[in-house]
Amino acid sequence: MKEIGVNEQTPRQIVEELNKYIVGQDEAKRSVAIALRNRWRSRQLSDDMQEEVIPKNILMIGSTGVGKTEIARRLAKLVNAPFIKVEATKFTEVGYVGRDVESIVRDLAETAVRMVRQQRLDSVQDKAAELAEERILDVFVPEPRKAQSPLGRLFGTDSEEKTEEQPEPKYQAGRDWVRKRLKNGELEQETIEIDVEEAGKPMVGMFAGSSLEGMGDNLQDMIGNLMPKRHKKRKVTVEQARKIFTQEEAGKLIDMDAVADEAIKVAEHSGIVFLDEIDKVAVKGNSSGADVSREGVQRDILPIVEGSTVMTKYGPLKTDHVLFIAAGAFHMAKPSDLIPELQGRFPIRVELKSLRKEDFEKILTEPRNALLKQYEALLATEDVKIVFQPDAISRLAQLACDVNEQAEDIGARRLHTLLEKLLEEISFTAPELAEKEIIIDAAYVDKQLSDIVVNRDLSQFIL
């Protein structure tokens, strides 16, 4: 089983994986790939040296829609490590209404616990499946029930217990016969009544205030542990019962204290935090009014980025070796508008380039989740085949470029707007066009998007 927090991919392999979804931005991909590989390298060092080598945090600068967040999303799927993505705009200085920056670390701990728990659950699936089968057998062939005196029931003594008249061999023979049928899959659709644990409902909204978030979590857990587990009867098929029982039994087989301890270690040495929209907390010139709170957020983020210990419900978590990747468009502010101490904590600067016509053409066709592939698949569900000619793709890319130059530059997101407008008529009439093939060429693009081509009335295309 793959160990959590250990990524064996070489920088080249990481870049190749990112290339499947993101066009261009080679510099940003390389920086991210090197940062991940340095994690692996530091693990090969002696314990003393490991402690000294801290990750080099990355600051991505680039206008909206060029792929900063997409790199983070793909990275999260690629790395086998606790990864969280947060928007810096969610946080406010302590004393203002909003989230406390320490919740970043608490969220990272939660992610790590979820990953480690899932790994442990996967490792006990076989054993859990066996126990689940025994529980299903108990439903079909109940064990001989024991008669108990009221006094015995009250004081928990079993001195007066006696087994009801029921011959043992008959019970065992019936159990073996049912087990054989279960193994052959003959009873999968049989309906049985089972007793299941009722999941506790979270107390939504309790302690929503910023600095009380952690206390609210702990109190909810404490109350949840004090309350007895409620059970309820459910009528399900054997197939569903098997899933429910396997889940319950797997949960009983893992030690949550050991999971929490391992999760904290994994989060401390392999955790990655992606801080999006960092430019929105940068302050230009003299700060006043709401800007004071923004500068306060930077000062609050600073100790977490440079390394501090934050209390989580699973124990203290040190952030010294957590890798932070920050990203921002920096339209209104410059990276130099961040407080100097925070700038110093992001030594690697990567500038993502604005997209050109060739980039738009690639974005439309090359990535695994390319927009044209998405629309073709969507319309294929109605038996409508759409074919995009090369000249139509080139025209769309050129239009996206023109609109981005004349209006706000929103990068690849402009293609969503143009394609929706282009395919509006086809999408609307698709149910009546079953089993037809529609060819989309440059002339069709010009006809559908004539508002842009002729009038240059771009107001409706600014998202």
Side-chain angles (χ1 to χ4, degrees):
M1 192 173 289
K2 206 175 169 191
E3 193 185 336
I4 293 174
V6 180
N7 291 291
E8 300 287 349
Q9 302 107 313
T10 63
R12 199 177 297 283
Q13 286 169 336
I14 293 167
V15 169
E16 279 169 10
E17 197 60 38
L18 291 173
N19 281 341
K20 291 175 186 173
Y21 298 97
I22 302 151
V23 167
Q25 312 305 358
D26 297 326
E27 202 183 330
K29 290 175 191 165
R30 282 170 75 97
S31 295
V32 165
I34 292 167
L36 286 183
R37 188 62 176 178
N38 280 339
R39 274 294 176 75
W40 178 86
R41 288 170 185 150
S42 70
R43 280 177 172 271
Q44 317 308 314
L45 302 172
S46 65
D47 290 350
D48 292 345
M49 197 63 181
Q50 263 191 55
E51 227 20 71
E52 297 302 321
V53 177
I54 58 167
K56 307 296 180 285
N57 298 325
I58 302 168
L59 178 63
M60 290 188 196
I61 304 154
S63 57
T64 183
V66 293
K68 301 185 301 294
T69 309
E70 190 64 19
I71 286 175
R73 279 183 57 218
R74 296 300 161 189
L75 203 62
K77 290 181 179 171
L78 189 62
V79 299
N80 184 35
F83 181 105
I84 60 160
K85 175 185 167 296
V86 290
E87 274 79 34
T89 46
K90 276 185 183 173
F91 306 102
T92 60
E93 192 178 358
V94 174
Y96 288 75
V97 176
R99 290 198 76 188
D100 166 15
V101 290
E102 288 191 351
S103 64
I104 295 172
V105 183
R106 287 194 288 269
D107 290 347
L108 187 67
E110 289 288 350
T111 305
V113 167
R114 203 162 48 242
M115 286 182 79
V116 174
R117 183 173 179 272
Q118 191 55 54
Q119 189 189 43
R120 296 275 176 97
L121 285 174
D122 292 345
S123 67
V124 297
Q125 280 301 305
D126 294 343
K127 176 74 176 157
E130 285 174 30
L131 294 168
E133 190 157 290
E134 291 301 316
R135 283 179 67 177
I136 293 169
L137 282 168
D138 289 341
V139 176
F140 279 107
V141 189
E143 286 191 47
R145 296 178 68 179
K146 292 179 177 178
Q148 200 178 29
S149 70
L151 274 174
R153 220 176 5 249
L154 187 63
F155 295 109
T157 60
D158 49 6
S159 56
E160 296 190 43
E161 285 185 10
K162 57 182 189 293
T163 308
E164 282 180 6
E165 294 299 313
Q166 193 171 356
E168 191 69 27
K170 181 181 163 193
Y171 156 75
Q172 199 54 44
R175 203 172 172 86
D176 288 342
W177 180 71
V178 174
R179 182 181 274 114
K180 204 174 283 180
R181 292 191 67 195
L182 272 175
K183 288 246 188 294
N184 294 340
E186 294 171 29
L187 303 171
E188 292 301 284
Q189 299 311 313
E190 291 274 327
T191 304
I192 55 172
E193 188 174 59
I194 60 169
D195 197 31
V196 292
E197 276 184 14
E198 208 169 1
K201 293 181 177 63
M203 290 174 273
V204 180
M206 186 173 178
F207 293 108
S210 60
S211 57
L212 293 173
E213 281 176 27
M215 195 203 298
D217 289 344
N218 293 336
L219 197 62
Q220 285 186 34
D221 281 358
M222 196 169 70
I223 293 169
N225 291 335
L226 287 173
M227 302 291 281
K229 288 268 190 278
R230 291 170 62 188
H231 289 254
K232 63 175 181 181
K233 299 272 187 201
R234 279 181 64 187
K235 276 194 166 64
V236 292
T237 62
V238 169
E239 193 178 359
Q240 291 168 316
R242 199 188 294 277
K243 285 179 189 164
I244 295 165
F245 286 159
T246 304
Q247 213 172 348
E248 279 186 13
E249 292 303 322
K252 290 176 193 170
L253 287 169
I254 60 171
D255 175 8
M256 276 312 287
D257 290 337
V259 166
D261 290 345
E262 190 187 330
I264 290 289
K265 278 185 199 153
V266 167
E268 283 181 345
H269 292 98
S270 307
I272 302 173
V273 174
F274 188 88
L275 270 171
D276 212 353
E277 311 292 358
I278 193 79
D279 57 315
K280 306 300 185 289
V281 293
V283 183
K284 283 186 78 176
N286 295 326
S287 56
S288 61
D291 289 347
V292 178
S293 173
R294 287 192 205 164
E295 200 169 307
V297 174
Q298 293 183 61
R299 278 196 295 270
D300 285 352
I301 288 174
L302 186 62
I304 289 175
V305 175
E306 71 180 357
S308 61
T309 303
V310 176
M311 281 307 298
T312 71
K313 65 181 179 185
Y314 305 106
L317 193 156
K318 280 174 68 182
T319 62
D320 298 58
H321 292 84
V322 173
L323 173 65
F324 288 86
I325 303 173
F330 290 99
H331 282 314
M332 310 299 289
K334 302 189 293 296
S336 56
D337 291 328
L338 293 166
I339 59 173
E341 301 92 323
L342 194 59
Q343 288 181 52
R345 299 296 161 198
F346 289 94
I348 302 172
R349 303 281 172 91
V350 186
E351 202 154 336
L352 283 87
K353 296 166 185 66
S354 288
L355 300 170
R356 305 186 308 279
K357 184 192 170 194
E358 306 84 78
D359 296 324
F360 283 123
E361 285 181 13
K362 287 179 183 171
I363 289 167
L364 283 168
T365 54
E366 283 182 13
R368 285 197 177 172
N369 60 337
L371 282 173
L372 297 190
K373 292 176 187 170
Q374 290 180 29
Y375 280 102
E376 281 166 10
L378 281 171
L379 288 166
T381 60
E382 305 252 24
D383 282 335
V384 177
K385 189 180 178 189
I386 53 170
V387 179
F388 285 91
Q389 300 287 24
D391 60 343
I393 295 167
S394 173
R395 191 81 187 98
L396 269 169
Q398 187 59 54
L399 279 172
C401 251
D402 293 350
V403 181
N404 272 349
E405 279 171 20
Q406 293 167 40
E408 282 292 324
D409 184 357
I410 58 168
R413 294 194 178 98
R414 184 69 67 191
L415 292 170
H416 289 270
T417 326
L418 294 174
L419 271 170
E420 272 300 318
K421 182 74 178 164
L422 175 71
L423 299 173
E424 189 178 38
E425 185 65 30
I426 296 171
S427 293
F428 186 79
T429 55
E432 295 129 47
L433 299 172
E435 295 179 27
K436 282 194 180 172
E437 183 175 284
I438 298 166
I439 308 288
I440 294 175
D441 54 16
Y444 185 86
V445 173
D446 287 342
K447 180 180 155 221
Q448 290 300 110
L449 303 176
S450 56
D451 289 349
I452 303 175
V453 180
V454 181
N455 304 330
R456 299 280 176 197
D457 177 14
L458 306 171
S459 58
Q460 63 179 311
F461 290 97
I462 299 173
L463 292 177

